[in-house]
Amino acid sequence: MSKLKLITFDITNTILRARVPVGEEYAKVACRFGLNLDAARISQEFPKVFSGLWAVQPNFGVADGITARQWWSTAVMAAVERSDVKLTEENFEKVSATAEALFEHYATAAPWMVDESSTHILSSLKRTHQLGIISNFDERLENLLEKLDLQQYFSFAIASRAAGVCKPDPTVSRGFNSTRWRCFI
């Protein structure tokens, strides 16, 4: 019999993946606001923008007192600008509307897919272990798990932004008894 009692997972790019590359999703949403984006270029630039912004405002800007929505808006603006779209006054409004729509869109199940093998593995593991999520994610995580019918597998989910610390901070592994953690059972 296994001595393990608890198994935790990160959610992003393990159990949960984007259905299409980020550039395709951004371009599709931007089109609704009359903005034409080069999907391949956005996909190319976005990881650089994300890493750069995370370096100066880690954990979606929680320590700087900004909202996750503001953090993501900055990321969208930067990715669009790095894809050679000039941020004229007119384009700024379109990109702002796009960023807002993307934040709401990524809070839904539509842009996400559950890895095919995950639910089978989670079902099997849940029979003998307590399962949880610890992820560098913003406050949309819990609702997203419900919308994707994944909450049934987990005793708790810790989103780094809600907790105020992100992986690999060692506080994450010691934090289960802290009231700072937003968990559900």
Side-chain angles (χ1 to χ4, degrees), residues 23 26-42 79-81 83-86 90-91 94-95 98:
Y26 278 38
K28 181 175 72 176
V29 171
C31 190
R32 296 189 342 226
F33 299 99
L35 189 64
N36 293 318
L37 299 181
D38 179 340
R41 188 73 191 273
I42 294 287
V80 168
E81 195 169 29
S83 72
D84 294 329
V85 172
K86 302 294 181 221
E90 180 184 355
N91 280 347
K94 292 176 181 179
V95 176
T98 298

Side-chain angles (χ1 to χ4, degrees), residues 33 49 56 70-71 79 81 123 140 143 151 153-154 158 178:
F33 299 99
V49 166
V56 296
Q70 291 168 315
W71 192 93
E81 195 169 29
S123 290
R140 296 173 291 177
N143 286 331
Q151 83 287 355
Y153 300 107
F154 302 103
I158 299 172
S178 169

Side-chain angles (χ1 to χ4, degrees), residues 54-71:
W54 192 269
V56 296
Q57 289 184 315
N59 205 11
F60 311 102
V62 70
D64 293 328
I66 65 169
T67 65
R69 186 181 301 269
Q70 291 168 315
W71 192 93

Side-chain angles (χ1 to χ4, degrees), residues 111-159:
W112 300 101
M113 61 184 262
V114 177
D115 182 75
E116 286 181 23
S117 61
S118 293
T119 54
H120 176 72
I121 292 167
L122 292 170
S123 290
S124 178
L125 287 172
K126 186 178 177 183
R127 286 187 226 128
T128 56
H129 298 83
Q130 184 176 4
L131 306 179
I133 294 174
I134 301 175
S135 189
N136 287 343
F137 213 95
D138 63 41
E139 56 272 8
R140 296 173 291 177
L141 177 61
E142 190 173 327
N143 286 331
L144 190 58
L145 292 173
E146 290 173 17
K147 289 175 182 176
L148 292 164
D149 200 29
L150 288 171
Q151 83 287 355
Q152 65 179 309
Y153 300 107
F154 302 103
S155 299
F156 63 90
I158 299 172

